[in-house]
Amino acid sequence: MNDWPEGFSGDNRGGRFGRGSSSAQPESARVMRQVRRGPAASPGQAPYGGGVPPQPSYVDGGGHGPGDGYDSGYNTGQVYGSPGGRGPGGPGDGGYAPRPAPDWRRRIKVTAITVVTLLVVTSVGTYFWADSKLNREVDLSKVIDRPEAGEGTNYLIVGSDSRKGMSAEEKKKLHTGSAEGKRTDSMMILHTGGGAPTLISLPRDSNVTIPSFKGSDSGKLYPATGRQTKLNAAYAEDGPELLVRTVEANTGLHIDHYVEIGFAGFANIVDAVGGVEMDIPQDIKDTKSGADLKKGKQTLNGEQALAFVRTRYALRGSDLDRTKNQQKFLSALANQVATPGTVLNPFKLYPTMSAGLDTLVVDKDMGLFDLASMFWAMKGVSGGDGKSMNMPIAGNAPNGNLQWNTAKVKQLVNELKNDEQVTVSGN
């Protein structure tokens, strides 16, 4: 017998009133399941036959035990999606799975690959940009009768008084004058190899013999006449090629690379690195170069630095003292350029490279790695790892020029050719 009102049995709800019913009559009141229907109790008899009817187990809040398939919809208090709950993310639920823990190893790997790729792309781009800015104007293949190359690499570094590209205001500010053409204000040989680098200044007033040479533009062969003159006259006569030919012929040392920088480029490089700290050995005041410097440590800007390296009339040793100051400053400049504060700072590195590369004149075989090697060697000289000196001088020649000490020069050249430690003194 069905315990439910007539016509109500499970999902078979025909003939009832209510939602989904087509009956016009309301269905009978639903009797709660836990109340048993039966004959009324006799007078004097306790309800339900004198005993308490068995009560259902309230396991799920609806009078149903586990496993009977009935879901009362009662919320057990679990938070939606929490472990054990019936919301999304709960075990056995068809909702969202828990968010996986981040894969840090993969993230680090991707980040590292990205950083390395950016560094490679930037480095390659910088290399080609810088390489395209080098002015490879000097053709050393035009130099004739060259001595045999020795061990290591020899750079001829020239500071010219070229005023190319300078405005009248800049010439006045830097005290360069307005002379046409260009001459050499300083000349140095930098030797690099397996040992410590050596920087040798060649005084511009050095007495040399102009050898036979081939004209850099005409290609015409000029025979040697034994003519003796100042070293810087060779540059003024036929440019870098004749200067290299003259240095090689008078020393017997093979020159591998040529590097030249003018007034404006020199000052711009100094300003680009934020100035160069120098310990000035004495008060210097020179109206010709524009130098007005006090003794002691100070940071020189481009204008002051150019005046410092050009000064000779205010120095007791004139050109010989000037070459020493030039060596000190160029070494300090190279040391400043090679510091992490410049190399790792793009706001300093790129302006410095641009200022230098725009005005540097090099030989056709010069590469960026050769240039970097040169600067690194200059840094080594300033750090005390190398040696700086003047070409050994014996006195004055009959024409008043500075005469080299032939014996010492020969020994010096032999040591450089064999890449040996230099023991010769420039005094």
Side-chain angles (χ1 to χ4, degrees):
M1 178 178 177
N2 195 343
D3 292 336
W4 296 93
E6 183 179 357
F8 187 88
S9 175
D11 289 334
N12 183 17
R13 299 171 183 174
R16 62 185 177 84
F17 182 84
R19 185 177 60 182
S21 172
S22 59
S23 173
Q25 297 295 328
E27 63 179 326
S28 303
R30 181 182 302 179
V31 179
M32 295 183 67
R33 183 175 181 180
Q34 61 268 31
V35 180
R36 294 185 60 87
R37 298 177 63 88
S42 323
Q45 182 180 1
Y48 308 107
V52 179
Q55 300 297 310
S57 171
Y58 288 87
V59 174
D60 65 355
H64 300 277
D68 65 357
Y70 180 79
D71 182 6
S72 67
Y74 178 74
N75 191 334
T76 61
Q78 295 288 349
V79 179
Y80 232 18
S82 61
R86 297 187 180 272
D93 191 88
Y96 301 107
R99 184 175 181 177
D103 188 346
W104 289 109
R105 180 176 297 180
R106 181 176 179 277
R107 290 188 181 185
I108 293 173
K109 181 179 179 181
V110 171
T111 301
I113 292 175
T114 302
V115 170
V116 170
T117 302
L118 288 175
L119 287 175
V120 170
V121 171
T122 302
S123 300
V124 171
T126 299
Y127 175 86
F128 284 105
W129 166 77
D131 188 72
S132 68
K133 294 177 76 66
L134 273 179
N135 300 306
R136 297 182 173 92
E137 300 176 5
V138 180
D139 189 356
L140 295 183
S141 67
K142 296 179 180 179
V143 180
I144 62 173
D145 300 333
R146 309 192 67 185
E148 185 179 351
E151 299 293 328
T153 304
N154 299 309
Y155 298 85
L156 180 59
I157 304 171
V158 174
S160 77
D161 65 357
S162 172
R163 298 155 178 85
K164 183 179 179 181
M166 296 177 65
S167 65
E169 183 179 352
E170 288 174 326
K171 292 176 184 178
K172 181 179 179 180
K173 178 182 177 182
L174 298 177
H175 301 271
T176 64
S178 300
E180 294 299 325
K182 59 181 183 178
R183 286 149 292 278
T184 54
D185 251 25
S186 62
M187 291 160 283
M188 303 178 189
I189 294 175
L190 175 66
H191 175 82
T192 65
T198 302
L199 183 63
I200 308 161
S201 284
L202 310 176
R204 57 180 285 179
D205 294 340
S206 296
N207 190 59
V208 294
T209 301
I210 300 297
S212 61
F213 68 96
K214 183 183 292 186
S216 58
D217 292 328
S218 65
K220 180 181 176 180
L221 182 63
Y222 295 87
T225 62
R227 177 168 55 101
Q228 293 187 337
T229 185
K230 294 179 180 180
L231 180 58
N232 66 341
Y235 180 94
E237 187 172 330
D238 198 49
E241 288 84 358
L242 179 54
L243 178 60
V244 171
R245 167 74 175 129
T246 302
V247 170
E248 289 187 340
N250 283 266
T251 63
L253 186 67
H254 181 89
I255 300 299
D256 299 287
H257 291 296
Y258 177 91
V259 181
E260 177 187 325
I261 188 168
F263 282 162
F266 180 84
N268 289 339
I269 292 175
V270 174
D271 286 333
V273 297
V276 176
E277 184 179 76
M278 286 293 297
D279 190 357
I280 308 299
Q282 66 182 70
D283 291 347
I284 299 177
K285 190 171 181 64
D286 185 357
T287 55
K288 290 186 178 294
S289 68
D292 188 5
L293 304 169
K294 299 298 181 182
K295 179 181 178 180
K297 286 188 177 182
Q298 54 199 285
T299 299
L300 305 183
N301 61 26
E303 179 183 350
Q304 294 169 323
L306 184 59
F308 175 69
V309 299
R310 294 183 63 219
T311 294
R312 68 170 176 164
Y313 293 103
L315 305 176
R316 179 178 299 179
S318 188
D319 198 40
L320 291 178
D321 282 350
R322 178 171 71 165
T323 57
K324 293 178 182 178
N325 286 341
Q326 290 171 346
Q327 290 176 345
K328 291 177 182 177
F329 186 84
L330 289 179
S331 296
L333 175 60
N335 187 66
Q336 178 71 23
V337 171
T339 58
T342 299
V343 176
L344 300 180
N345 184 352
F347 297 103
K348 272 192 176 182
L349 176 63
Y350 286 96
T352 301
M353 292 178 64
S354 181
L357 296 174
D358 278 341
T359 53
L360 280 179
V361 176
V362 300
D363 65 272
K364 293 183 180 297
D365 294 327
M366 186 78 159
L368 286 178
F369 290 110
D370 298 312
L371 196 60
S373 176
M374 184 193 79
F375 270 98
W376 191 258
M378 293 282 286
K379 180 179 183 294
V381 172
S382 67
D385 296 331
K387 180 174 184 177
S388 60
M389 58 181 288
N390 277 324
M391 186 65 82
I393 303 295
N396 291 329
N399 58 8
N401 299 331
L402 295 173
Q403 186 66 51
W404 292 350
N405 186 316
T406 306
K408 284 190 174 182
V409 169
K410 183 177 180 180
Q411 181 183 349
L412 172 64
V413 170
N414 285 334
E415 290 174 342
L416 294 177
K417 278 186 173 182
N418 296 319
D419 197 23
E420 299 173 348
Q421 182 179 355
V422 173
T423 59
V424 178
S425 170
N427 297 328

